[in-house]
mmCIF file with all atom_site columns, all heavy atoms in Angstrom:
data_model
loop_
_atom_site.group_PDB
_atom_site.id
_atom_site.type_symbol
_atom_site.label_atom_id
_atom_site.label_alt_id
_atom_site.label_comp_id
_atom_site.label_asym_id
_atom_site.label_entity_id
_atom_site.label_seq_id
_atom_site.pdbx_PDB_ins_code
_atom_site.Cartn_x
_atom_site.Cartn_y
_atom_site.Cartn_z
_atom_site.occupancy
_atom_site.B_iso_or_equiv
_atom_site.pdbx_formal_charge
_atom_site.auth_seq_id
_atom_site.auth_comp_id
_atom_site.auth_asym_id
_atom_site.auth_atom_id
_atom_site.pdbx_PDB_model_num
ATOM 1   N N   . GLN A 1 114 ? 34.863 26.739 -89.195 1.00 90.00 ? 1431 GLN A N   1
ATOM 2   C CA  . GLN A 1 114 ? 34.500 28.120 -89.534 1.00 90.00 ? 1431 GLN A CA  1
ATOM 3   C C   . GLN A 1 114 ? 33.685 28.170 -90.822 1.00 90.00 ? 1431 GLN A C   1
ATOM 4   O O   . GLN A 1 114 ? 32.711 28.921 -90.916 1.00 90.00 ? 1431 GLN A O   1
ATOM 5   C CB  . GLN A 1 114 ? 35.756 28.988 -89.644 1.00 90.00 ? 1431 GLN A CB  1
ATOM 6   C CG  . GLN A 1 114 ? 36.369 29.287 -88.298 1.00 90.00 ? 1431 GLN A CG  1
ATOM 7   C CD  . GLN A 1 114 ? 37.713 29.982 -88.383 1.00 90.00 ? 1431 GLN A CD  1
ATOM 8   O OE1 . GLN A 1 114 ? 38.375 29.954 -89.427 1.00 90.00 ? 1431 GLN A OE1 1
ATOM 9   N NE2 . GLN A 1 114 ? 38.116 30.581 -87.279 1.00 90.00 ? 1431 GLN A NE2 1
ATOM 10  N N   . ARG A 1 115 ? 34.048 27.336 -91.802 1.00 91.00 ? 1432 ARG A N   1
ATOM 11  C CA  . ARG A 1 115 ? 33.259 27.275 -93.034 1.00 91.00 ? 1432 ARG A CA  1
ATOM 12  C C   . ARG A 1 115 ? 31.854 26.771 -92.739 1.00 91.00 ? 1432 ARG A C   1
ATOM 13  O O   . ARG A 1 115 ? 30.878 27.269 -93.297 1.00 91.00 ? 1432 ARG A O   1
ATOM 14  C CB  . ARG A 1 115 ? 33.940 26.365 -94.067 1.00 91.00 ? 1432 ARG A CB  1
ATOM 15  C CG  . ARG A 1 115 ? 35.157 27.000 -94.717 1.00 91.00 ? 1432 ARG A CG  1
ATOM 16  C CD  . ARG A 1 115 ? 35.602 26.296 -95.981 1.00 91.00 ? 1432 ARG A CD  1
ATOM 17  N NE  . ARG A 1 115 ? 35.613 24.847 -95.946 1.00 91.00 ? 1432 ARG A NE  1
ATOM 18  C CZ  . ARG A 1 115 ? 36.673 24.092 -95.633 1.00 91.00 ? 1432 ARG A CZ  1
ATOM 19  N NH1 . ARG A 1 115 ? 37.811 24.667 -95.325 1.00 91.00 ? 1432 ARG A NH1 1
ATOM 20  N NH2 . ARG A 1 115 ? 36.588 22.786 -95.648 1.00 91.00 ? 1432 ARG A NH2 1
ATOM 21  N N   . GLY A 1 116 ? 31.744 25.787 -91.874 1.00 90.00 ? 1433 GLY A N   1
ATOM 22  C CA  . GLY A 1 116 ? 30.436 25.259 -91.505 1.00 90.00 ? 1433 GLY A CA  1
ATOM 23  C C   . GLY A 1 116 ? 29.593 26.278 -90.762 1.00 90.00 ? 1433 GLY A C   1
ATOM 24  O O   . GLY A 1 116 ? 28.382 26.386 -90.984 1.00 90.00 ? 1433 GLY A O   1
ATOM 25  N N   . MET A 1 117 ? 30.214 27.046 -89.879 1.00 91.00 ? 1434 MET A N   1
ATOM 26  C CA  . MET A 1 117 ? 29.464 28.040 -89.108 1.00 91.00 ? 1434 MET A CA  1
ATOM 27  C C   . MET A 1 117 ? 28.949 29.169 -89.989 1.00 91.00 ? 1434 MET A C   1
ATOM 28  O O   . MET A 1 117 ? 27.948 29.800 -89.673 1.00 91.00 ? 1434 MET A O   1
ATOM 29  C CB  . MET A 1 117 ? 30.322 28.581 -87.963 1.00 91.00 ? 1434 MET A CB  1
ATOM 30  C CG  . MET A 1 117 ? 30.436 27.574 -86.820 1.00 91.00 ? 1434 MET A CG  1
ATOM 31  S SD  . MET A 1 117 ? 31.223 28.219 -85.355 1.00 91.00 ? 1434 MET A SD  1
ATOM 32  C CE  . MET A 1 117 ? 32.908 28.337 -85.883 1.00 91.00 ? 1434 MET A CE  1
ATOM 33  N N   . ARG A 1 118 ? 29.602 29.409 -91.132 1.00 92.00 ? 1435 ARG A N   1
ATOM 34  C CA  . ARG A 1 118 ? 29.116 30.430 -92.059 1.00 92.00 ? 1435 ARG A CA  1
ATOM 35  C C   . ARG A 1 118 ? 27.777 30.026 -92.678 1.00 92.00 ? 1435 ARG A C   1
ATOM 36  O O   . ARG A 1 118 ? 27.027 30.882 -93.145 1.00 92.00 ? 1435 ARG A O   1
ATOM 37  C CB  . ARG A 1 118 ? 30.143 30.680 -93.168 1.00 92.00 ? 1435 ARG A CB  1
ATOM 38  C CG  . ARG A 1 118 ? 31.293 31.529 -92.720 1.00 92.00 ? 1435 ARG A CG  1
ATOM 39  C CD  . ARG A 1 118 ? 32.199 31.925 -93.885 1.00 92.00 ? 1435 ARG A CD  1
ATOM 40  N NE  . ARG A 1 118 ? 33.559 31.939 -93.398 1.00 92.00 ? 1435 ARG A NE  1
ATOM 41  C CZ  . ARG A 1 118 ? 34.543 31.177 -93.825 1.00 92.00 ? 1435 ARG A CZ  1
ATOM 42  N NH1 . ARG A 1 118 ? 34.360 30.335 -94.810 1.00 92.00 ? 1435 ARG A NH1 1
ATOM 43  N NH2 . ARG A 1 118 ? 35.739 31.256 -93.299 1.00 92.00 ? 1435 ARG A NH2 1
ATOM 44  N N   . LEU A 1 119 ? 27.490 28.724 -92.671 1.00 91.00 ? 1436 LEU A N   1
ATOM 45  C CA  . LEU A 1 119 ? 26.229 28.233 -93.227 1.00 91.00 ? 1436 LEU A CA  1
ATOM 46  C C   . LEU A 1 119 ? 25.076 28.362 -92.225 1.00 91.00 ? 1436 LEU A C   1
ATOM 47  O O   . LEU A 1 119 ? 23.918 28.231 -92.604 1.00 91.00 ? 1436 LEU A O   1
ATOM 48  C CB  . LEU A 1 119 ? 26.373 26.768 -93.652 1.00 91.00 ? 1436 LEU A CB  1
ATOM 49  C CG  . LEU A 1 119 ? 27.449 26.471 -94.693 1.00 91.00 ? 1436 LEU A CG  1
ATOM 50  C CD1 . LEU A 1 119 ? 27.568 24.978 -94.919 1.00 91.00 ? 1436 LEU A CD1 1
ATOM 51  C CD2 . LEU A 1 119 ? 27.140 27.202 -95.998 1.00 91.00 ? 1436 LEU A CD2 1
ATOM 52  N N   . LEU A 1 120 ? 25.399 28.588 -90.963 1.00 92.00 ? 1437 LEU A N   1
ATOM 53  C CA  . LEU A 1 120 ? 24.371 28.722 -89.922 1.00 92.00 ? 1437 LEU A CA  1
ATOM 54  C C   . LEU A 1 120 ? 23.798 30.130 -89.932 1.00 92.00 ? 1437 LEU A C   1
ATOM 55  O O   . LEU A 1 120 ? 24.443 31.076 -90.387 1.00 92.00 ? 1437 LEU A O   1
ATOM 56  C CB  . LEU A 1 120 ? 24.976 28.427 -88.549 1.00 92.00 ? 1437 LEU A CB  1
ATOM 57  C CG  . LEU A 1 120 ? 25.613 27.061 -88.329 1.00 92.00 ? 1437 LEU A CG  1
ATOM 58  C CD1 . LEU A 1 120 ? 26.284 27.015 -86.958 1.00 92.00 ? 1437 LEU A CD1 1
ATOM 59  C CD2 . LEU A 1 120 ? 24.581 25.963 -88.470 1.00 92.00 ? 1437 LEU A CD2 1
ATOM 60  N N   . SER A 1 121 ? 22.613 30.281 -89.383 1.00 93.00 ? 1438 SER A N   1
ATOM 61  C CA  . SER A 1 121 ? 22.048 31.628 -89.214 1.00 93.00 ? 1438 SER A CA  1
ATOM 62  C C   . SER A 1 121 ? 22.939 32.375 -88.214 1.00 93.00 ? 1438 SER A C   1
ATOM 63  O O   . SER A 1 121 ? 23.628 31.748 -87.402 1.00 93.00 ? 1438 SER A O   1
ATOM 64  C CB  . SER A 1 121 ? 20.618 31.531 -88.684 1.00 93.00 ? 1438 SER A CB  1
ATOM 65  O OG  . SER A 1 121 ? 20.634 31.079 -87.336 1.00 93.00 ? 1438 SER A OG  1
ATOM 66  N N   . PRO A 1 122 ? 22.928 33.696 -88.267 1.00 93.00 ? 1439 PRO A N   1
ATOM 67  C CA  . PRO A 1 122 ? 23.771 34.460 -87.330 1.00 93.00 ? 1439 PRO A CA  1
ATOM 68  C C   . PRO A 1 122 ? 23.503 34.107 -85.864 1.00 93.00 ? 1439 PRO A C   1
ATOM 69  O O   . PRO A 1 122 ? 24.434 33.979 -85.068 1.00 93.00 ? 1439 PRO A O   1
ATOM 70  C CB  . PRO A 1 122 ? 23.421 35.915 -87.630 1.00 93.00 ? 1439 PRO A CB  1
ATOM 71  C CG  . PRO A 1 122 ? 22.941 35.911 -89.047 1.00 93.00 ? 1439 PRO A CG  1
ATOM 72  C CD  . PRO A 1 122 ? 22.264 34.575 -89.228 1.00 93.00 ? 1439 PRO A CD  1
ATOM 73  N N   . ALA A 1 123 ? 22.237 33.929 -85.501 1.00 92.00 ? 1440 ALA A N   1
ATOM 74  C CA  . ALA A 1 123 ? 21.901 33.610 -84.111 1.00 92.00 ? 1440 ALA A CA  1
ATOM 75  C C   . ALA A 1 123 ? 22.427 32.230 -83.738 1.00 92.00 ? 1440 ALA A C   1
ATOM 76  O O   . ALA A 1 123 ? 23.032 32.047 -82.672 1.00 92.00 ? 1440 ALA A O   1
ATOM 77  C CB  . ALA A 1 123 ? 20.393 33.675 -83.906 1.00 92.00 ? 1440 ALA A CB  1
ATOM 78  N N   . CYS A 1 124 ? 22.220 31.235 -84.610 1.00 92.00 ? 1441 CYS A N   1
ATOM 79  C CA  . CYS A 1 124 ? 22.718 29.880 -84.334 1.00 92.00 ? 1441 CYS A CA  1
ATOM 80  C C   . CYS A 1 124 ? 24.236 29.867 -84.262 1.00 92.00 ? 1441 CYS A C   1
ATOM 81  O O   . CYS A 1 124 ? 24.817 29.189 -83.416 1.00 92.00 ? 1441 CYS A O   1
ATOM 82  C CB  . CYS A 1 124 ? 22.246 28.899 -85.405 1.00 92.00 ? 1441 CYS A CB  1
ATOM 83  S SG  . CYS A 1 124 ? 20.572 28.300 -85.167 1.00 92.00 ? 1441 CYS A SG  1
ATOM 84  N N   . SER A 1 125 ? 24.869 30.592 -85.161 1.00 92.00 ? 1442 SER A N   1
ATOM 85  C CA  . SER A 1 125 ? 26.328 30.640 -85.177 1.00 92.00 ? 1442 SER A CA  1
ATOM 86  C C   . SER A 1 125 ? 26.870 31.216 -83.868 1.00 92.00 ? 1442 SER A C   1
ATOM 87  O O   . SER A 1 125 ? 27.816 30.680 -83.284 1.00 92.00 ? 1442 SER A O   1
ATOM 88  C CB  . SER A 1 125 ? 26.803 31.482 -86.364 1.00 92.00 ? 1442 SER A CB  1
ATOM 89  O OG  . SER A 1 125 ? 28.207 31.545 -86.380 1.00 92.00 ? 1442 SER A OG  1
ATOM 90  N N   . LYS A 1 126 ? 26.243 32.304 -83.411 1.00 93.00 ? 1443 LYS A N   1
ATOM 91  C CA  . LYS A 1 126 ? 26.694 32.942 -82.167 1.00 93.00 ? 1443 LYS A CA  1
ATOM 92  C C   . LYS A 1 126 ? 26.512 32.001 -80.973 1.00 93.00 ? 1443 LYS A C   1
ATOM 93  O O   . LYS A 1 126 ? 27.412 31.835 -80.143 1.00 93.00 ? 1443 LYS A O   1
ATOM 94  C CB  . LYS A 1 126 ? 25.926 34.239 -81.941 1.00 93.00 ? 1443 LYS A CB  1
ATOM 95  C CG  . LYS A 1 126 ? 26.425 35.037 -80.764 1.00 93.00 ? 1443 LYS A CG  1
ATOM 96  C CD  . LYS A 1 126 ? 25.771 36.402 -80.724 1.00 93.00 ? 1443 LYS A CD  1
ATOM 97  C CE  . LYS A 1 126 ? 26.476 37.252 -79.698 1.00 93.00 ? 1443 LYS A CE  1
ATOM 98  N NZ  . LYS A 1 126 ? 26.045 38.653 -79.761 1.00 93.00 ? 1443 LYS A NZ  1
ATOM 99  N N   . VAL A 1 127 ? 25.355 31.359 -80.896 1.00 93.00 ? 1444 VAL A N   1
ATOM 100 C CA  . VAL A 1 127 ? 25.074 30.435 -79.803 1.00 93.00 ? 1444 VAL A CA  1
ATOM 101 C C   . VAL A 1 127 ? 26.034 29.250 -79.859 1.00 93.00 ? 1444 VAL A C   1
ATOM 102 O O   . VAL A 1 127 ? 26.565 28.807 -78.837 1.00 93.00 ? 1444 VAL A O   1
ATOM 103 C CB  . VAL A 1 127 ? 23.595 29.974 -79.852 1.00 93.00 ? 1444 VAL A CB  1
ATOM 104 C CG1 . VAL A 1 127 ? 23.355 28.783 -78.953 1.00 93.00 ? 1444 VAL A CG1 1
ATOM 105 C CG2 . VAL A 1 127 ? 22.684 31.129 -79.469 1.00 93.00 ? 1444 VAL A CG2 1
ATOM 106 N N   . TYR A 1 128 ? 26.290 28.723 -81.070 1.00 91.00 ? 1445 TYR A N   1
ATOM 107 C CA  . TYR A 1 128 ? 27.195 27.587 -81.230 1.00 91.00 ? 1445 TYR A CA  1
ATOM 108 C C   . TYR A 1 128 ? 28.609 27.953 -80.779 1.00 91.00 ? 1445 TYR A C   1
ATOM 109 O O   . TYR A 1 128 ? 29.270 27.183 -80.084 1.00 91.00 ? 1445 TYR A O   1
ATOM 110 C CB  . TYR A 1 128 ? 27.198 27.120 -82.688 1.00 91.00 ? 1445 TYR A CB  1
ATOM 111 C CG  . TYR A 1 128 ? 28.018 25.881 -82.914 1.00 91.00 ? 1445 TYR A CG  1
ATOM 112 C CD1 . TYR A 1 128 ? 27.541 24.629 -82.536 1.00 91.00 ? 1445 TYR A CD1 1
ATOM 113 C CD2 . TYR A 1 128 ? 29.276 25.941 -83.495 1.00 91.00 ? 1445 TYR A CD2 1
ATOM 114 C CE1 . TYR A 1 128 ? 28.284 23.479 -82.733 1.00 91.00 ? 1445 TYR A CE1 1
ATOM 115 C CE2 . TYR A 1 128 ? 30.032 24.799 -83.700 1.00 91.00 ? 1445 TYR A CE2 1
ATOM 116 C CZ  . TYR A 1 128 ? 29.529 23.573 -83.324 1.00 91.00 ? 1445 TYR A CZ  1
ATOM 117 O OH  . TYR A 1 128 ? 30.270 22.442 -83.514 1.00 91.00 ? 1445 TYR A OH  1
ATOM 118 N N   . ARG A 1 129 ? 29.072 29.138 -81.173 1.00 91.00 ? 1446 ARG A N   1
ATOM 119 C CA  . ARG A 1 129 ? 30.414 29.584 -80.752 1.00 91.00 ? 1446 ARG A CA  1
ATOM 120 C C   . ARG A 1 129 ? 30.512 29.680 -79.227 1.00 91.00 ? 1446 ARG A C   1
ATOM 121 O O   . ARG A 1 129 ? 31.496 29.239 -78.636 1.00 91.00 ? 1446 ARG A O   1
ATOM 122 C CB  . ARG A 1 129 ? 30.742 30.957 -81.348 1.00 91.00 ? 1446 ARG A CB  1
ATOM 123 C CG  . ARG A 1 129 ? 31.087 30.963 -82.790 1.00 91.00 ? 1446 ARG A CG  1
ATOM 124 C CD  . ARG A 1 129 ? 31.315 32.399 -83.293 1.00 91.00 ? 1446 ARG A CD  1
ATOM 125 N NE  . ARG A 1 129 ? 31.174 32.486 -84.718 1.00 91.00 ? 1446 ARG A NE  1
ATOM 126 C CZ  . ARG A 1 129 ? 32.132 32.192 -85.583 1.00 91.00 ? 1446 ARG A CZ  1
ATOM 127 N NH1 . ARG A 1 129 ? 33.289 31.791 -85.160 1.00 91.00 ? 1446 ARG A NH1 1
ATOM 128 N NH2 . ARG A 1 129 ? 31.907 32.306 -86.866 1.00 91.00 ? 1446 ARG A NH2 1
ATOM 129 N N   . MET A 1 130 ? 29.487 30.253 -78.619 1.00 93.00 ? 1447 MET A N   1
ATOM 130 C CA  . MET A 1 130 ? 29.510 30.404 -77.166 1.00 93.00 ? 1447 MET A CA  1
ATOM 131 C C   . MET A 1 130 ? 29.488 29.040 -76.476 1.00 93.00 ? 1447 MET A C   1
ATOM 132 O O   . MET A 1 130 ? 30.170 28.838 -75.478 1.00 93.00 ? 1447 MET A O   1
ATOM 133 C CB  . MET A 1 130 ? 28.314 31.261 -76.713 1.00 93.00 ? 1447 MET A CB  1
ATOM 134 C CG  . MET A 1 130 ? 28.396 32.701 -77.180 1.00 93.00 ? 1447 MET A CG  1
ATOM 135 S SD  . MET A 1 130 ? 26.896 33.637 -76.869 1.00 93.00 ? 1447 MET A SD  1
ATOM 136 C CE  . MET A 1 130 ? 27.212 34.171 -75.187 1.00 93.00 ? 1447 MET A CE  1
ATOM 137 N N   . SER A 1 131 ? 28.741 28.109 -77.039 1.00 90.00 ? 1448 SER A N   1
ATOM 138 C CA  . SER A 1 131 ? 28.645 26.780 -76.455 1.00 90.00 ? 1448 SER A CA  1
ATOM 139 C C   . SER A 1 131 ? 29.925 25.981 -76.676 1.00 90.00 ? 1448 SER A C   1
ATOM 140 O O   . SER A 1 131 ? 30.481 25.410 -75.743 1.00 90.00 ? 1448 SER A O   1
ATOM 141 C CB  . SER A 1 131 ? 27.454 26.035 -77.069 1.00 90.00 ? 1448 SER A CB  1
ATOM 142 O OG  . SER A 1 131 ? 27.445 24.690 -76.663 1.00 90.00 ? 1448 SER A OG  1
ATOM 143 N N   . PHE A 1 132 ? 30.393 25.967 -77.910 1.00 86.00 ? 1449 PHE A N   1
ATOM 144 C CA  . PHE A 1 132 ? 31.520 25.100 -78.263 1.00 86.00 ? 1449 PHE A CA  1
ATOM 145 C C   . PHE A 1 132 ? 32.868 25.688 -77.846 1.00 86.00 ? 1449 PHE A C   1
ATOM 146 O O   . PHE A 1 132 ? 33.677 25.020 -77.225 1.00 86.00 ? 1449 PHE A O   1
ATOM 147 C CB  . PHE A 1 132 ? 31.511 24.822 -79.775 1.00 86.00 ? 1449 PHE A CB  1
ATOM 148 C CG  . PHE A 1 132 ? 32.497 23.780 -80.191 1.00 86.00 ? 1449 PHE A CG  1
ATOM 149 C CD1 . PHE A 1 132 ? 32.195 22.428 -80.058 1.00 86.00 ? 1449 PHE A CD1 1
ATOM 150 C CD2 . PHE A 1 132 ? 33.734 24.124 -80.704 1.00 86.00 ? 1449 PHE A CD2 1
ATOM 151 C CE1 . PHE A 1 132 ? 33.103 21.446 -80.420 1.00 86.00 ? 1449 PHE A CE1 1
ATOM 152 C CE2 . PHE A 1 132 ? 34.650 23.154 -81.074 1.00 86.00 ? 1449 PHE A CE2 1
ATOM 153 C CZ  . PHE A 1 132 ? 34.327 21.817 -80.939 1.00 86.00 ? 1449 PHE A CZ  1
ATOM 154 N N   . PHE A 1 133 ? 33.109 26.934 -78.210 1.00 86.00 ? 1450 PHE A N   1
ATOM 155 C CA  . PHE A 1 133 ? 34.426 27.528 -77.970 1.00 86.00 ? 1450 PHE A CA  1
ATOM 156 C C   . PHE A 1 133 ? 34.592 28.113 -76.571 1.00 86.00 ? 1450 PHE A C   1
ATOM 157 O O   . PHE A 1 133 ? 35.699 28.149 -76.041 1.00 86.00 ? 1450 PHE A O   1
ATOM 158 C CB  . PHE A 1 133 ? 34.732 28.601 -79.023 1.00 86.00 ? 1450 PHE A CB  1
ATOM 159 C CG  . PHE A 1 133 ? 34.909 28.050 -80.405 1.00 86.00 ? 1450 PHE A CG  1
ATOM 160 C CD1 . PHE A 1 133 ? 33.955 28.249 -81.375 1.00 86.00 ? 1450 PHE A CD1 1
ATOM 161 C CD2 . PHE A 1 133 ? 36.026 27.294 -80.722 1.00 86.00 ? 1450 PHE A CD2 1
ATOM 162 C CE1 . PHE A 1 133 ? 34.105 27.735 -82.652 1.00 86.00 ? 1450 PHE A CE1 1
ATOM 163 C CE2 . PHE A 1 133 ? 36.192 26.764 -81.994 1.00 86.00 ? 1450 PHE A CE2 1
ATOM 164 C CZ  . PHE A 1 133 ? 35.230 26.984 -82.964 1.00 86.00 ? 1450 PHE A CZ  1
#
Side-chain angles (χ1 to χ4, degrees):
Q1431 287 172 341
R1432 285 196 317 267
M1434 285 188 288
R1435 282 188 216 118
L1436 301 175
L1437 301 174
S1438 70
C1441 279
S1442 179
K1443 186 171 190 170
V1444 166
Y1445 185 76
R1446 285 177 201 277
M1447 293 171 86
S1448 172
F1449 189 81
F1450 293 108

